[in-house]
Amino acid sequence: MSTPEKTEAVAGTRERIVRATSRLLQRQGYEGTGIKQISREAGATLGSVYHFFPGGKQELAAEAIRHGDEEFAVILRAGLASAEGPAEAVAACTALLARELRASDWQDGCPVITTALETVGRAPVIEEAVAEAFAHWRAIVAEHLHASGIAPEDAADLAATVINALEGAELSAQVARSEEPLHLAGRHLARLISTYAA
Amino acid sequence: MSTPEKTEAVAGTRERIVRATSRLLQRQGYEGTGIKQISREAGATLGSVYHFFPGGKQELAAEAIRHGDEEFAVILRAGLASAEGPAEAVAACTALLARELRASDWQDGCPVITTALETVGRAPVIEEAVAEAFAHWRAIVAEHLHASGIAPEDAADLAATVINALEGAELSAQVARSEEPLHLAGRHLARLISTYAA
């Protein structure tokens, strides 16, 4: 194997391990996911999992959360860009999330929340990745709201409530196996935002 | 031992098992909690855990979720009753939750959400208990909002958003180890509710 091909294959293995971990954490949480299952799902040997992640499951989970962070950021940006006006843009996000959640048969909710809840106060490296993910998502929404004419401090506060409401509504949608909690969150967030935009 | 005393001791053991399970699920989730740890924490033998819960961990978790359901309902009712007006009442709930969460060193968040997320699509008896808990909490809030003069269908919709927002804000508060996400949720929910109450 020539060097560029080898580099690509190595990058491919690491990437497969991170993706498999992210999906497993999203669907069954941190405690229910073992390194052996990750290696199986990623089509990688246990040896290569520990080669790339010598810190084991915590290091792997932190990296998977950074992957989930970027995955959710892509959805947020796509949703926000798909409608005119700040209230409509946030409602478009909830509609997009509802479609994606239904398409996964209500399995693929927030990629970080289950792991975050399972490890509160018990895994600093994971907690840091979770806190960064939340901060990143809030920043994306805050920037969009501010660019739509809402004052910076109001935009930052609203962004925090938008992300928290999306988390709560997504959980409810999963429990109810219904898009309605997300659509309702969209309507109420739009109504709240329009009291600032007006 | 006379019969009434025996009945009381039996009720006491079952209650201790349910309480211990509820606390463990709240703090470390379903997957991270084993029957042996439950028996140890409850001060009950493994034999008596299986005597009361022949269905094992799933049956025990469902019962613990019903316990958490009632526990959270008590907090909701106390919060709602502590202030005049529907918007102020919901904000009082978020303040009460923030205080309780801080007092537990950010450990004791929602008593059902972690288990709910870990078992989506995989444990019908647990999912049913989770769905009932959410419905119960929404009903408490909806009834209070309606009694404060908000139209029934608006009260029901707002109640769903209140519960979802509390869930999301409580998670954020745990991650950030800060009361602020809950206080912010209180301000925004009050603002949203006042657009209906006016």
Side-chain angles (χ1 to χ4, degrees), chain B residues 131-149:
Chain B
E132 280 172 10
F134 275 85
H136 182 204
W137 303 335
R138 284 193 299 264
I140 290 170
V141 176
E143 196 181 329
H144 189 91
L145 294 179
H146 178 46
S148 308

Side-chain angles (χ1 to χ4, degrees), chain B residues 73-93:
Chain B
V74 167
I75 296 179
L76 272 182
R77 285 198 206 93
L80 291 172
S82 71
E84 292 284 322
E88 296 77 5
V90 168
C93 278

